[in-house]
């Protein structure tokens, strides 16, 4: 499932990243590598605040939807 379907406070593990090579590389540079744990800190209609590797990152829903978790 995509990160956008997670609830605030929920933790899951990244399984894969979708999108073009540039998008996947950008997400990996931010810390969203397969196997890393991600937690939703907050969300609104425009985007989400995620915690990955002890760093808070704000992403819009389009980009967050490319992160698949289990």
């Amino acid at each position: 499932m995509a990160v956008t379907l997670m609830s605030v406070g929920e933790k899951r593990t990244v399984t894969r990243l979708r999108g073009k090579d540039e998008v996947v590389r950008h997400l990996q540079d931010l810390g969203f590598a397969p196997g890393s744990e991600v937690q939703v800190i907050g969300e609104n209609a425009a985007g989400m605040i995620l915690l990955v590797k002890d760093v808070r990152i704000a992403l819009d829903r389009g980009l967050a939807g490319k992160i698949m978790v289990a």
Side-chain angles (χ1 to χ4, degrees):
M1 81 179 200
V3 166
T4 53
L5 300 176
M6 292 173 57
S7 305
V8 174
E10 190 175 356
K11 291 182 183 179
R12 294 204 176 234
T13 303
V14 176
T15 55
R16 69 184 180 96
L17 303 171
R18 301 181 333 172
K20 295 183 180 179
D21 290 341
E22 305 86 41
V23 173
V24 170
R25 196 172 313 114
H26 178 64
L27 290 170
Q28 287 175 337
D29 289 345
L30 291 174
F32 296 100
S36 60
E37 186 177 77
V38 62
Q39 180 180 5
V40 177
I41 301 296
E43 64 179 325
N44 62 26
M48 306 181 81
I49 300 172
L50 306 172
L51 182 69
V52 63
K53 298 187 178 181
D54 295 324
V55 176
R56 291 180 186 172
I57 299 174
L59 296 177
D60 68 2
R61 290 196 172 272
L63 197 53
K66 298 190 181 303
I67 303 170
M68 305 308 286
V69 294

